[in-house]
Amino acid sequence: MFKHLFYLSGILAVMILFGIFTMLMVNGIKAFSDIDVSDFLFGTIWSPSAFETPKYGILSLLISSLLATLLAMIIAVPIGVGAAAYLAEFAPKKIEQVVKPAIEMLAAIPSVTIGFIGIVLLGPWIAQIFQLSNGLNALNGAILLAIMSLPTIISISEDAMLAVPHTYKEAGMAVGANKWEILIKIILPAAGSGVVASIMLGMGRAIGETMAVLMATGNAPAMPKGIFSSVQPLTATIAIEMGEVPYDTTHYYSLFSLGIILFLITLVINLIAERIGQQYAIK
């Protein structure tokens, strides 16, 4: 009975995923009866509410999403992998018992709370440090996304490092290597596939985040000129406009097209992580 129940659960998950993709495709394709595909993908102006000549170029939105995500990974990867290495190899038991639950609690903080921190605390701090008119920009969103990606990166990276056989470490000690040399030259290379998979999954977590970037990035649908530019990622665009757009219009269906782009980006990232994760077991 349980075998069939688990089988049905797996099939249901696939069916839900297929249903979501089908819903996005059925509605998103309708937008291209009025929008040229090349203008949609490579246009830099997103102004669907313009009365005379609406513009549906998503390149600036896509670049904004990628900019915030890549900045977040630049911040999160060294901290996440470093924290995972500390917990796996150096942390005393008492510290580990405090830090690990704290990391798990960090994953449980609602994204709207993280976004609120970005508005009232991080934004003014960025504006003051860098002498800006306001701190709602790509850097603010990237820091928040990095915080939200850390639990994924730390947990999976730590599991990968703990999966390295003790015989590898013993061999390193036998030839006179110290703890740092064992970590850098033995554990990290051996756990490399798991660490890279954690980074890819953290990236997927960051690029799909909505509330934090909606609240903290400034929501300016223009091509970003740097990390201090106000930006409007794809997710924020959908969240802002879907509740107000008239039904059965080009604007309405174009938001589903944005969903298709996000779905495909996330799917590719997860497939890459899964591919890398196939090498997770140390042979």
Side-chain angles (χ1 to χ4, degrees), residues 117-160:
I117 292 171
I119 291 176
V120 302
L121 182 63
L122 190 58
W125 178 77
I126 291 175
Q128 182 179 4
I129 294 295
F130 296 102
Q131 300 297 309
L132 305 172
S133 58
N134 69 80
L136 302 181
N137 50 40
L139 179 61
N140 191 340
I143 294 173
L144 300 182
L145 292 177
I147 294 171
M148 301 177 75
S149 301
L150 280 175
T152 300
I153 296 174
I154 294 173
S155 298
I156 300 177
S157 295
E158 183 190 5
D159 290 341

Side-chain angles (χ1 to χ4, degrees), residues 151-201:
T152 300
I153 296 174
I154 294 173
S155 298
I156 300 177
S157 295
E158 183 190 5
D159 290 341
M161 294 178 194
L162 291 174
V164 177
H166 284 287
T167 52
Y168 286 25
K169 305 173 190 177
E170 292 168 357
M173 288 187 287
V175 296
N178 59 37
K179 275 194 169 186
W180 284 105
E181 290 170 333
I182 291 172
L183 174 65
I184 299 299
K185 298 182 179 180
I186 298 175
I187 295 174
L188 285 178
S193 60
V195 172
V196 174
S198 75
I199 294 170
M200 298 302 297
L201 291 173

Side-chain angles (χ1 to χ4, degrees), residues 237-283:
T237 303
I238 297 172
I240 292 170
E241 300 180 9
M242 182 57 81
E244 300 178 355
V245 64
Y247 177 74
D248 199 24
T249 60
T250 303
H251 186 186
Y252 176 81
Y253 293 122
S254 69
L255 295 178
F256 282 92
S257 300
L258 295 185
I260 294 173
I261 301 297
L262 270 173
F263 185 95
L264 293 176
I265 291 173
T266 307
L267 180 64
V268 169
I269 290 174
N270 279 275
L271 287 176
I272 293 172
E274 181 68 24
R275 180 72 175 178
I276 296 169
Q278 290 176 359
Q279 306 172 16
Y280 190 93
I282 307 297
K283 299 180 181 179

Side-chain angles (χ1 to χ4, degrees), residues 53-116:
T53 55
K55 300 289 185 181
Y56 295 93
I58 69 164
L59 188 59
S60 60
L61 309 180
L62 183 60
I63 295 297
S64 296
S65 291
L66 295 177
L67 174 62
T69 302
L70 291 176
L71 278 174
M73 291 300 100
I74 291 172
I75 298 168
V77 170
I79 298 173
V81 176
Y86 174 73
L87 290 173
E89 298 298 322
F90 299 103
K93 272 293 180 185
K94 289 184 178 180
I95 294 180
E96 184 181 358
Q97 290 172 356
V98 174
V99 173
K100 289 197 71 171
I103 293 170
E104 293 169 2
M105 286 298 297
L106 182 62
I109 298 175
S111 58
V112 67
T113 304
I114 300 289
F116 183 72

